[in-house]
């Protein structure tokens, strides 16, 4: 089954202003001894109805390099932000940059098709804690945070 959104529509969803459903607080919940997770449904401010979800995880809360974020549309991952301490290469070509990067995923393409999964360097992320990471991810993906 084909994904119901084209890549242009996915890009529009990412660019559109969004906020947590009913302006609920984006709270982290412990998901293990040292890990934490925030999982929230989002709404578009323009009123379009899309099933958008934000998931932010920390493998170890005190270790920023363990933080990850994912933006899901209709339960398919369309964007991700995470960190790699060393670049990864495949056949002498860099496939994953060192440091913070964004995964841009096209669910319409098969796993082996060119352009299905691209990674873009994000040097401006550099969080100092989990709340800072959440703020930077939300700013990058145009997600408005509820007032404190």
């Amino acid at each position: 089954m084909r994904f119901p959104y084209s890549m242009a529509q996915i890009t529009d969803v990412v660019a559109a202003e969004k906020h947590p459903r009913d302006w609920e607080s984006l709270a982290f919940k412990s998901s293990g001894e040292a890990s934490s997770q925030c999982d929230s449904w989002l709404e578009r401010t323009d009123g379009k109805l899309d099933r958008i979800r934000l998931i932010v995880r920390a493998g170890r809360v005190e270790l920023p390099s363990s933080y990850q974020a994912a933006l899901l549309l209709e339960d398919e991952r369309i964007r991700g932000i995470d960190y790699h301490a060393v670049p990864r290469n495949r056949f002498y070509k860099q496939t994953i940059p060192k440091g913070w990067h964004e995964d841009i995923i096209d669910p319409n393409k098969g796993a082996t098709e060119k352009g299905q999964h691209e990674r873009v360097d994000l040097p401006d992320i550099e969080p100092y804690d989990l709340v800072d990471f959440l703020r930077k991810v939300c700013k990058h993906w145009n997600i408005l945070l509820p007032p404190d």
Side-chain angles (χ1 to χ4, degrees):
M1 185 171 110
R2 300 282 295 162
F3 190 66
Y5 292 80
S6 69
M7 195 56 184
Q9 290 170 315
I10 291 170
T11 302
D12 178 57
V13 168
V14 175
E17 212 170 61
K18 300 165 284 296
H19 61 82
R21 189 176 288 165
D22 299 326
W23 286 98
E24 67 187 23
S25 165
L26 294 179
F28 284 94
K29 295 181 178 125
S30 178
S31 60
E33 192 173 308
S35 58
S36 194
Q37 178 173 314
C38 173
D39 190 336
S40 180
W41 288 98
L42 305 175
E43 295 177 342
R44 288 176 59 154
T45 56
D46 62 11
K48 290 186 180 175
L49 299 175
D50 295 310
R51 287 177 27 92
I52 310 165
R53 194 166 141 210
L54 172 68
I55 300 172
V56 178
R57 294 184 178 128
R60 295 185 61 86
V61 174
E62 75 282 355
L63 185 63
S65 62
S66 73
Y67 301 166
Q68 298 176 331
L71 191 63
L72 287 74
L73 178 61
E74 300 295 333
D75 297 320
E76 285 282 340
R77 188 169 177 247
I78 58 168
R79 295 288 188 274
I81 293 177
D82 59 356
Y83 180 86
H84 286 276
V86 294
R88 293 193 184 162
N89 298 314
R90 183 180 176 126
F91 301 115
Y92 304 103
K93 181 181 180 242
Q94 182 172 301
T95 56
I96 301 176
K98 176 183 177 181
W100 291 99
H101 65 272
E102 180 177 26
D103 299 303
I104 299 173
I105 300 154
D106 185 352
N108 291 300
K109 295 185 178 180
T112 58
E113 286 184 70
K114 185 174 178 77
Q116 189 274 340
H117 190 161
E118 296 179 18
R119 293 173 176 95
V120 178
D121 194 24
L122 289 178
D124 296 336
I125 292 290
E126 292 299 328
Y128 57 85
D129 67 12
L130 191 53
V131 173
D132 183 53
F133 179 66
L134 174 65
R135 283 190 191 114
K136 289 177 178 179
V137 164
C138 287
K139 182 178 179 185
H140 186 73
W141 287 335
N142 300 310
I143 301 168
L144 302 173
L145 293 171
D148 289 333

PDB file of all heavy atoms in Angstrom, residues 9-27:
ATOM      1  N   GLN A   9       3.699  16.967   0.052  1.00  0.00           N
ATOM      2  CA  GLN A   9       2.735  17.103   1.144  1.00  0.00           C
ATOM      3  C   GLN A   9       3.402  16.877   2.499  1.00  0.00           C
ATOM      4  O   GLN A   9       3.078  17.551   3.473  1.00  0.00           O
ATOM      5  CB  GLN A   9       1.579  16.118   0.961  1.00  0.00           C
ATOM      6  CG  GLN A   9       0.675  16.464  -0.206  1.00  0.00           C
ATOM      7  CD  GLN A   9      -0.307  15.354  -0.511  1.00  0.00           C
ATOM      8  OE1 GLN A   9       0.049  14.179  -0.548  1.00  0.00           O
ATOM      9  NE2 GLN A   9      -1.567  15.736  -0.726  1.00  0.00           N
ATOM     10  N   ILE A  10       4.343  15.938   2.567  1.00  0.00           N
ATOM     11  CA  ILE A  10       5.089  15.686   3.806  1.00  0.00           C
ATOM     12  C   ILE A  10       5.882  16.936   4.180  1.00  0.00           C
ATOM     13  O   ILE A  10       5.877  17.366   5.335  1.00  0.00           O
ATOM     14  CB  ILE A  10       6.019  14.458   3.662  1.00  0.00           C
ATOM     15  CG1 ILE A  10       5.178  13.187   3.550  1.00  0.00           C
ATOM     16  CG2 ILE A  10       7.003  14.376   4.829  1.00  0.00           C
ATOM     17  CD1 ILE A  10       5.973  11.954   3.159  1.00  0.00           C
ATOM     18  N   THR A  11       6.538  17.531   3.208  1.00  0.00           N
ATOM     19  CA  THR A  11       7.305  18.758   3.442  1.00  0.00           C
ATOM     20  C   THR A  11       6.383  19.868   3.941  1.00  0.00           C
ATOM     21  O   THR A  11       6.748  20.628   4.837  1.00  0.00           O
ATOM     22  CB  THR A  11       8.039  19.176   2.153  1.00  0.00           C
ATOM     23  OG1 THR A  11       8.898  18.098   1.754  1.00  0.00           O
ATOM     24  CG2 THR A  11       8.877  20.420   2.360  1.00  0.00           C
ATOM     25  N   ASP A  12       5.172  19.946   3.400  1.00  0.00           N
ATOM     26  CA  ASP A  12       4.186  20.930   3.840  1.00  0.00           C
ATOM     27  C   ASP A  12       3.780  20.685   5.292  1.00  0.00           C
ATOM     28  O   ASP A  12       3.658  21.626   6.073  1.00  0.00           O
ATOM     29  CB  ASP A  12       2.953  20.884   2.926  1.00  0.00           C
ATOM     30  CG  ASP A  12       1.879  21.860   3.365  1.00  0.00           C
ATOM     31  OD1 ASP A  12       2.171  23.065   3.458  1.00  0.00           O
ATOM     32  OD2 ASP A  12       0.744  21.403   3.631  1.00  0.00           O
ATOM     33  N   VAL A  13       3.595  19.431   5.672  1.00  0.00           N
ATOM     34  CA  VAL A  13       3.228  19.092   7.058  1.00  0.00           C
ATOM     35  C   VAL A  13       4.343  19.505   8.017  1.00  0.00           C
ATOM     36  O   VAL A  13       4.093  20.082   9.073  1.00  0.00           O
ATOM     37  CB  VAL A  13       2.907  17.583   7.201  1.00  0.00           C
ATOM     38  CG1 VAL A  13       2.824  17.168   8.659  1.00  0.00           C
ATOM     39  CG2 VAL A  13       1.608  17.243   6.471  1.00  0.00           C
ATOM     40  N   VAL A  14       5.592  19.236   7.638  1.00  0.00           N
ATOM     41  CA  VAL A  14       6.729  19.596   8.491  1.00  0.00           C
ATOM     42  C   VAL A  14       6.830  21.114   8.621  1.00  0.00           C
ATOM     43  O   VAL A  14       7.066  21.636   9.713  1.00  0.00           O
ATOM     44  CB  VAL A  14       8.048  18.996   7.955  1.00  0.00           C
ATOM     45  CG1 VAL A  14       9.235  19.482   8.768  1.00  0.00           C
ATOM     46  CG2 VAL A  14       7.985  17.474   7.968  1.00  0.00           C
ATOM     47  N   ALA A  15       6.606  21.838   7.526  1.00  0.00           N
ATOM     48  CA  ALA A  15       6.728  23.299   7.523  1.00  0.00           C
ATOM     49  C   ALA A  15       5.551  23.984   8.213  1.00  0.00           C
ATOM     50  O   ALA A  15       5.706  25.104   8.716  1.00  0.00           O
ATOM     51  CB  ALA A  15       6.857  23.812   6.091  1.00  0.00           C
ATOM     52  N   ALA A  16       4.400  23.326   8.262  1.00  0.00           N
ATOM     53  CA  ALA A  16       3.205  23.938   8.853  1.00  0.00           C
ATOM     54  C   ALA A  16       3.380  24.112  10.363  1.00  0.00           C
ATOM     55  O   ALA A  16       4.009  23.307  11.024  1.00  0.00           O
ATOM     56  CB  ALA A  16       1.981  23.082   8.571  1.00  0.00           C
ATOM     57  N   GLU A  17       2.780  25.185  10.866  1.00  0.00           N
ATOM     58  CA  GLU A  17       2.805  25.420  12.303  1.00  0.00           C
ATOM     59  C   GLU A  17       1.915  24.385  12.990  1.00  0.00           C
ATOM     60  O   GLU A  17       0.795  24.122  12.545  1.00  0.00           O
ATOM     61  CB  GLU A  17       2.279  26.830  12.573  1.00  0.00           C
ATOM     62  CG  GLU A  17       2.888  27.479  13.751  1.00  0.00           C
ATOM     63  CD  GLU A  17       2.519  28.954  13.833  1.00  0.00           C
ATOM     64  OE1 GLU A  17       1.322  29.272  13.947  1.00  0.00           O
ATOM     65  OE2 GLU A  17       3.456  29.773  13.786  1.00  0.00           O
ATOM     66  N   LYS A  18       2.449  23.793  14.057  1.00  0.00           N
ATOM     67  CA  LYS A  18       1.741  22.751  14.799  1.00  0.00           C
ATOM     68  C   LYS A  18       1.838  23.043  16.286  1.00  0.00           C
ATOM     69  O   LYS A  18       2.678  23.820  16.709  1.00  0.00           O
ATOM     70  CB  LYS A  18       2.387  21.382  14.517  1.00  0.00           C
ATOM     71  CG  LYS A  18       2.377  20.976  13.056  1.00  0.00           C
ATOM     72  CD  LYS A  18       3.323  19.823  12.750  1.00  0.00           C
ATOM     73  CE  LYS A  18       4.778  20.169  12.688  1.00  0.00           C
ATOM     74  NZ  LYS A  18       5.210  21.065  11.654  1.00  0.00           N
ATOM     75  N   HIS A  19       0.982  22.401  17.065  1.00  0.00           N
ATOM     76  CA  HIS A  19       1.055  22.512  18.521  1.00  0.00           C
ATOM     77  C   HIS A  19       0.524  21.222  19.125  1.00  0.00           C
ATOM     78  O   HIS A  19      -0.202  20.467  18.461  1.00  0.00           O
ATOM     79  CB  HIS A  19       0.270  23.724  19.037  1.00  0.00           C
ATOM     80  CG  HIS A  19      -1.192  23.681  18.718  1.00  0.00           C
ATOM     81  ND1 HIS A  19      -2.102  22.968  19.477  1.00  0.00           N
ATOM     82  CD2 HIS A  19      -1.897  24.261  17.721  1.00  0.00           C
ATOM     83  CE1 HIS A  19      -3.301  23.120  18.968  1.00  0.00           C
ATOM     84  NE2 HIS A  19      -3.212  23.895  17.891  1.00  0.00           N
ATOM     85  N   PRO A  20       0.857  20.943  20.388  1.00  0.00           N
ATOM     86  CA  PRO A  20       0.329  19.740  21.037  1.00  0.00           C
ATOM     87  C   PRO A  20      -1.199  19.791  21.087  1.00  0.00           C
ATOM     88  O   PRO A  20      -1.788  20.859  21.262  1.00  0.00           O
ATOM     89  CB  PRO A  20       0.913  19.791  22.456  1.00  0.00           C
ATOM     90  CG  PRO A  20       2.106  20.673  22.334  1.00  0.00           C
ATOM     91  CD  PRO A  20       1.790  21.661  21.260  1.00  0.00           C
ATOM     92  N   ARG A  21      -1.834  18.629  20.883  1.00  0.00           N
ATOM     93  CA  ARG A  21      -3.293  18.545  20.906  1.00  0.00           C
ATOM     94  C   ARG A  21      -3.822  19.137  22.209  1.00  0.00           C
ATOM     95  O   ARG A  21      -3.304  18.847  23.284  1.00  0.00           O
ATOM     96  CB  ARG A  21      -3.724  17.089  20.772  1.00  0.00           C
ATOM     97  CG  ARG A  21      -5.219  16.931  20.574  1.00  0.00           C
ATOM     98  CD  ARG A  21      -5.600  15.503  20.349  1.00  0.00           C
ATOM     99  NE  ARG A  21      -5.155  15.080  19.023  1.00  0.00           N
ATOM    100  CZ  ARG A  21      -5.083  13.804  18.649  1.00  0.00           C
ATOM    101  NH1 ARG A  21      -5.380  12.842  19.488  1.00  0.00           N
ATOM    102  NH2 ARG A  21      -4.687  13.495  17.432  1.00  0.00           N
ATOM    103  N   ASP A  22      -4.818  19.998  22.087  1.00  0.00           N
ATOM    104  CA  ASP A  22      -5.435  20.694  23.229  1.00  0.00           C
ATOM    105  C   ASP A  22      -4.415  21.476  24.054  1.00  0.00           C
ATOM    106  O   ASP A  22      -4.623  21.724  25.231  1.00  0.00           O
ATOM    107  CB  ASP A  22      -6.185  19.698  24.137  1.00  0.00           C
ATOM    108  CG  ASP A  22      -7.309  18.994  23.391  1.00  0.00           C
ATOM    109  OD1 ASP A  22      -7.928  19.630  22.516  1.00  0.00           O
ATOM    110  OD2 ASP A  22      -7.550  17.814  23.687  1.00  0.00           O
ATOM    111  N   TRP A  23      -3.320  21.838  23.447  1.00  0.00           N
ATOM    112  CA  TRP A  23      -2.249  22.602  24.101  1.00  0.00           C
ATOM    113  C   TRP A  23      -1.747  21.934  25.382  1.00  0.00           C
ATOM    114  O   TRP A  23      -1.360  22.591  26.340  1.00  0.00           O
ATOM    115  CB  TRP A  23      -2.682  24.037  24.376  1.00  0.00           C
ATOM    116  CG  TRP A  23      -2.719  24.833  23.112  1.00  0.00           C
ATOM    117  CD1 TRP A  23      -3.820  25.106  22.367  1.00  0.00           C
ATOM    118  CD2 TRP A  23      -1.618  25.434  22.430  1.00  0.00           C
ATOM    119  NE1 TRP A  23      -3.473  25.840  21.261  1.00  0.00           N
ATOM    120  CE2 TRP A  23      -2.121  26.059  21.283  1.00  0.00           C
ATOM    121  CE3 TRP A  23      -0.248  25.496  22.677  1.00  0.00           C
ATOM    122  CZ2 TRP A  23      -1.319  26.734  20.371  1.00  0.00           C
ATOM    123  CZ3 TRP A  23       0.553  26.190  21.772  1.00  0.00           C
ATOM    124  CH2 TRP A  23       0.021  26.793  20.643  1.00  0.00           C
ATOM    125  N   GLU A  24      -1.795  20.607  25.391  1.00  0.00           N
ATOM    126  CA  GLU A  24      -1.304  19.882  26.569  1.00  0.00           C
ATOM    127  C   GLU A  24       0.194  20.084  26.745  1.00  0.00           C
ATOM    128  O   GLU A  24       0.918  20.357  25.791  1.00  0.00           O
ATOM    129  CB  GLU A  24      -1.631  18.394  26.453  1.00  0.00           C
ATOM    130  CG  GLU A  24      -0.867  17.711  25.339  1.00  0.00           C
ATOM    131  CD  GLU A  24      -1.277  16.273  25.086  1.00  0.00           C
ATOM    132  OE1 GLU A  24      -2.402  15.907  25.439  1.00  0.00           O
ATOM    133  OE2 GLU A  24      -0.458  15.539  24.527  1.00  0.00           O
ATOM    134  N   SER A  25       0.643  19.948  27.949  1.00  0.00           N
ATOM    135  CA  SER A  25       2.058  20.109  28.273  1.00  0.00           C
ATOM    136  C   SER A  25       2.862  18.949  27.679  1.00  0.00           C
ATOM    137  O   SER A  25       2.386  17.811  27.649  1.00  0.00           O
ATOM    138  CB  SER A  25       2.211  20.132  29.793  1.00  0.00           C
ATOM    139  OG  SER A  25       3.541  19.934  30.153  1.00  0.00           O
ATOM    140  N   LEU A  26       4.055  19.232  27.208  1.00  0.00           N
ATOM    141  CA  LEU A  26       4.943  18.189  26.700  1.00  0.00           C
ATOM    142  C   LEU A  26       5.814  17.710  27.859  1.00  0.00           C
ATOM    143  O   LEU A  26       6.895  18.229  28.098  1.00  0.00           O
ATOM    144  CB  LEU A  26       5.811  18.711  25.550  1.00  0.00           C
ATOM    145  CG  LEU A  26       5.061  19.099  24.287  1.00  0.00           C
ATOM    146  CD1 LEU A  26       6.017  19.631  23.235  1.00  0.00           C
ATOM    147  CD2 LEU A  26       4.287  17.927  23.725  1.00  0.00           C
ATOM    148  N   ALA A  27       5.325  16.739  28.575  1.00  0.00           N
ATOM    149  CA  ALA A  27       6.015  16.249  29.769  1.00  0.00           C
ATOM    150  C   ALA A  27       6.782  14.971  29.467  1.00  0.00           C
ATOM    151  O   ALA A  27       6.320  14.118  28.709  1.00  0.00           O
ATOM    152  CB  ALA A  27       5.001  15.994  30.876  1.00  0.00           C
TER     153      ALA A  27
END
